Amino acid sequence: MKKADVFEFYRRLAEANPHPKTELESGNAYQLLVAVVLSAQATDAGVNKATRALFAEVKTPEQMVALGLDALKQHIRTIGLFNTKAKNVIALSEALVADHDSAVPNDRDALERLPGVGRKTANVVMNVAFGAETFAVDTHIFRVGNRTGLARGKTPLAVELKLDKATPQPFRLHAHHWLILHGRYVCKARRPECWRCIVADLCAFKPKTPPPKALAA
């Protein structure tokens, strides 16, 4: 995608949604970290449903450790892979208490050293909690980057690095939110809704999906 088209691509997304936010609910950086860890291979809506009661009770790593593994599992049992995720959340909470004075580190490398925290999770926390210009590439962004031609790559890291290079100011801070939401609600995996896409004319995807009535006809 040409530089001018990249700018226009983001400009339109920004105009349509000037203040994008993560759809994960949290009250502080620690709860955000936990929510993002729980969101792997799960929907944000499903995570929010499970964490509302949990986060009313648990706001710090110490409180999570005190809650314990079995009680945490009961809170998040509706989330996929909850057994493994619960173990990771307890372990990362213990690490925060022991190694970071119970605070979520404002450092990607330090975040990635925590149990259950990969690069995508670290990038989300860095962006949402600390205002860093990071690009958290999930399945939606990976698809949108490749399909539109905005940032093509064979791996999430390759797409991330291309987005980092291609995304101009003033769009860098919120870029990954716009792309996630666009992929989640418009540029869907199985049937992208090209007929209502505000950046369709800038997109490299050739078999544009027609509107439902045209399909029916």
Side-chain angles (χ1 to χ4, degrees):
M1 193 179 291
K2 297 177 181 178
K3 285 186 178 181
D5 289 343
V6 171
F7 190 93
E8 179 62 13
F9 184 98
Y10 281 118
R11 188 199 67 76
R12 293 181 194 178
L13 295 179
E15 184 177 54
N17 185 6
H19 305 290
K21 296 180 180 179
T22 178
E23 293 186 326
L24 287 171
E25 298 172 1
S26 65
N28 57 37
Y30 171 69
Q31 289 183 340
L32 173 68
L33 173 61
V34 171
V36 181
V37 169
L38 295 178
S39 72
Q41 301 180 50
T43 65
D44 287 1
V47 172
N48 291 338
K49 186 176 181 180
T51 57
R52 282 176 191 136
L54 173 65
F55 287 166
E57 183 178 351
V58 175
K59 297 176 173 59
T60 68
E62 290 94 342
Q63 289 174 341
M64 186 69 77
V65 173
L67 179 69
L69 181 62
D70 290 339
L72 174 58
K73 286 182 180 180
Q74 288 302 307
H75 275 287
I76 66 170
R77 64 188 183 278
T78 57
I79 300 175
L81 306 174
F82 74 92
N83 282 310
T84 298
K85 290 177 180 179
K87 291 177 183 177
N88 284 334
V89 167
I90 294 296
L92 73 83
S93 300
E94 291 172 340
L96 289 175
V97 173
D99 303 328
H100 300 282
D101 296 323
S102 301
V104 176
N106 183 2
D107 178 85
R108 182 160 54 197
D109 291 337
L111 285 166
E112 287 191 72
R113 286 193 289 270
L114 296 171
V117 178
R119 187 177 180 90
K120 186 199 78 171
T121 295
N123 279 336
V124 172
V125 173
M126 290 292 295
N127 178 268
V128 176
F130 302 115
E133 294 175 353
T134 54
F135 300 83
V137 178
D138 67 350
T139 56
H140 297 299
I141 292 187
F142 186 79
R143 179 176 65 256
V144 171
N146 277 284
R147 181 182 278 166
T148 63
L150 178 65
R152 287 194 170 119
K154 293 183 178 181
T155 65
L157 179 58
V159 171
E160 178 190 334
L161 295 177
K162 287 190 176 182
L163 284 173
D164 193 14
K165 184 177 180 180
T167 304
Q169 294 291 9
F171 308 115
R172 293 177 59 82
L173 179 60
H174 296 311
H176 96 270
H177 287 307
W178 285 314
L179 296 176
I180 286 173
L181 295 172
H182 190 64
R184 185 173 290 164
Y185 298 112
V186 180
C187 195
K188 300 176 182 178
R190 293 189 177 181
R191 187 166 174 263
E193 298 180 3
C194 303
W195 67 88
R196 68 180 190 90
C197 176
I198 60 175
V199 291
D201 59 309
L202 304 172
C203 172
F205 185 61
K206 295 301 182 185
K208 295 288 197 295
T209 311
K213 289 184 178 179
L215 280 176

